Amino acid sequence: MLPVKKEHRKLIAGTVLDESASGQTVFVEPADIASLTYELSALRAEEAAEEMKVLGMLTELTESFRHELSINLETIGHYDFLFAKAKLAKTYDGKVPELNEEGLIVIKGGRHPLLGGAVPLDCTLGDNYRALIITGPNTGGKTVALKTVGSLTLMVQSGLPVPVEAGSRFAVYNSVLADIGDGQSLEHSLSTFSAHIRSVIRILEQAGPASLILLDELATGTDPGEGIGLSIAVLEELYRKGATIMATTHFNEIKRFAEEAPGFRNARMEFDLETLRPTYRMTMGEAGNSYAFQIALKLGMSPAMIDRSRQITYSRQGGESRLWYRWKRRSSRTGRCLTSRSGRQMDIKRSLQRGERSPDRPYPLLKSATASGSIP
């Protein structure tokens, strides 16, 4: 197109295709090149048709090798996955552990894949027990232990090497169910307790013999007494269903339950009282303390408030202990009295039935009993 001033439009033979915004200039296609434009358009159409023909031929040729191409694509994906696993395992020195279907987990030197410098975890679950209750200090690594066991189990079942030492063993589960963290939500009107309960109900519905259950901070978010009872009932039901259980808690009642119940075992995360720091190492077969006062002091709470907290806690525990002792002693004394009186009454009744009497005091038992009012 040629830009031409409007007053000179008639000097050029051709077709006006457009004009400027001011209207002072028009764009003219000269008549001499119009035929060339039509020819160019036709050639472009022929080119597009030829391209479609070539693409159709190539598509038909590719379709004839569909089976071979699908095998090649699957092979490429498989080897890409293998190389990706190898590169990932190299970053944390991953190993391929032994698998079993007996529910046995033996972790030696296990580390969470996202915590490269963490203290290795040594843990056994499923030997002669299926439920492990982990106790210990706050910030001591209890929740990390749960997450480590769950993450490594899922990685193993996905075919990934895991950061453990040689000799580790993992069980194969149909499901790994967890209630970890605080699921409270203003949007869904969920408190800390109700969020935990919803998760626990879902876990109870899905749990079975091939399930790994991970429960963090049992009996929290509600009245401790009711929460403890509810937690023990949940643990009993999960164990009855045949599930493998790992749970954390701070409550002594749950620790004692795990110590006495068959199929349960305690474990604790260690705490260094000299440095007031957790060691992040797990000791099997022992229940641990929470060390709330030591940790609060280390985090900056005033010593005076810690001392006052100790006075309140231990004075209350001492009062409860003295009350329990007095009640126990009173109950024992009352029981002895009732037993003695009941025994005397039975002797009197048996004597009366046999008609026993002495030569100088006829029916002495009857007289003494009547005088004392033992027999109405």
Side-chain angles (χ1 to χ4, degrees):
M1 291 185 295
L2 298 176
V4 180
K5 288 188 176 182
K6 194 170 185 178
E7 58 268 22
H8 302 306
R9 158 69 186 84
K10 296 184 179 297
L11 298 178
I12 299 177
T15 304
V16 176
L17 300 180
D18 200 358
E19 67 177 19
S20 64
S22 64
Q24 301 298 318
T25 303
V26 295
F27 299 93
V28 180
E29 181 183 37
D32 296 339
I33 65 173
S35 59
L36 297 176
T37 302
Y38 297 147
E39 184 179 357
L40 179 61
S41 298
L43 292 173
R44 286 176 175 172
E46 292 178 5
E47 181 184 17
E50 192 65 22
E51 287 179 356
M52 292 299 298
K53 183 178 179 180
V54 172
L55 291 175
M57 293 174 58
L58 293 175
T59 301
E60 185 178 353
L61 180 63
T62 304
E63 183 69 21
S64 64
F65 293 97
R66 179 178 181 180
H67 178 67
E68 291 82 356
L69 290 174
S70 64
I71 293 178
N72 289 342
L73 183 62
E74 184 177 350
T75 303
I76 291 173
H78 177 71
Y79 280 104
D80 184 62
F81 178 57
L82 290 179
F83 283 116
K85 288 199 300 181
K87 290 180 180 179
L88 178 64
K90 190 176 180 181
T91 60
Y92 51 65
D93 191 24
K95 295 179 177 60
V96 179
E98 178 184 347
L99 299 181
N100 67 86
E101 296 183 352
E102 289 76 34
L104 177 62
I105 297 178
V106 180
I107 299 178
K108 298 181 179 180
R111 290 170 284 115
H112 194 284
L114 299 180
L115 301 176
V119 176
L121 174 68
D122 294 324
C123 176
T124 302
L125 176 59
D127 188 6
N128 55 357
Y129 55 92
R130 284 190 288 106
L132 184 65
I133 306 301
I134 305 174
T135 55
N138 294 288
T139 70
K142 298 187 299 299
T143 303
V144 172
L146 288 185
K147 293 183 177 181
T148 299
V149 173
S151 299
L152 297 184
T153 298
L154 292 175
M155 290 176 66
V156 168
Q157 296 190 189
S158 300
L160 296 173
V162 290
V164 296
E165 295 180 358
S168 297
R169 304 173 64 184
F170 282 86
V172 178
Y173 298 100
N174 292 336
S175 60
V176 178
L177 307 173
D179 176 34
I180 299 176
D182 190 349
Q184 63 175 304
S185 171
L186 293 176
E187 180 181 359
H188 299 96
S189 300
L190 290 177
S191 66
T192 298
F193 177 71
S194 59
H196 279 296
I197 290 300
R198 284 196 175 185
S199 297
V200 169
I201 292 174
R202 173 183 56 85
I203 291 173
L204 288 170
E205 293 173 349
Q206 301 179 20
S211 299
L212 174 62
I213 311 298
L214 306 174
L215 301 174
D216 189 29
E217 298 292 352
L218 291 171
T220 58
T222 187
D223 177 80
E226 296 179 354
I228 290 168
L230 188 60
S231 299
I232 293 176
V234 169
L235 291 173
E236 290 177 337
E237 179 63 15
L238 290 173
Y239 188 85
R240 187 190 65 81
K241 287 176 173 284
T244 302
I245 309 165
M246 285 190 69
T248 67
T249 186
H250 287 283
F251 290 95
N252 293 327
E253 291 82 356
I254 299 179
K255 300 175 191 178
R256 287 195 291 268
F257 166 76
E259 183 178 354
E260 299 171 359
F264 284 75
R265 192 176 185 184
N266 277 311
R268 67 180 177 89
M269 304 304 295
E270 297 178 1
F271 186 80
D272 191 340
L273 289 175
E274 295 183 0
T275 62
L276 298 181
R277 292 179 178 273
T279 65
Y280 305 107
R281 298 187 182 279
M282 180 181 293
T283 300
M284 303 295 297
E286 299 179 9
N289 296 321
S290 296
Y291 298 105
F293 297 141
Q294 291 86 344
I295 293 176
L297 181 64
K298 176 179 176 294
L299 293 178
M301 185 170 287
S302 66
M305 187 170 293
I306 297 297
D307 292 339
R308 177 56 180 161
S309 301
R310 291 179 186 274
Q311 294 174 4
I312 295 173
T313 301
Y314 296 134
S315 63
R316 185 180 62 182
Q317 290 180 352
E320 292 176 352
S321 299
R322 288 191 297 271
L323 180 62
W324 179 86
Y325 176 76
R326 287 199 300 268
W327 176 84
K328 189 73 174 178
R329 185 174 58 182
R330 185 181 306 165
S331 300
S332 177
R333 185 170 61 251
T334 304
R336 289 196 301 270
C337 293
L338 291 176
T339 301
S340 177
R341 180 175 180 180
S342 176
R344 289 198 304 272
Q345 291 177 352
M346 291 299 298
D347 291 341
I348 293 171
K349 289 182 180 180
R350 281 196 296 268
S351 299
L352 291 176
Q353 290 172 357
R354 292 194 302 265
E356 293 180 356
R357 55 191 177 94
S358 62
D360 54 342
R361 293 184 60 190
Y363 306 107
L365 295 177
L366 177 61
K367 290 182 179 180
S368 60
T370 304
S372 61
S374 299
I375 299 180

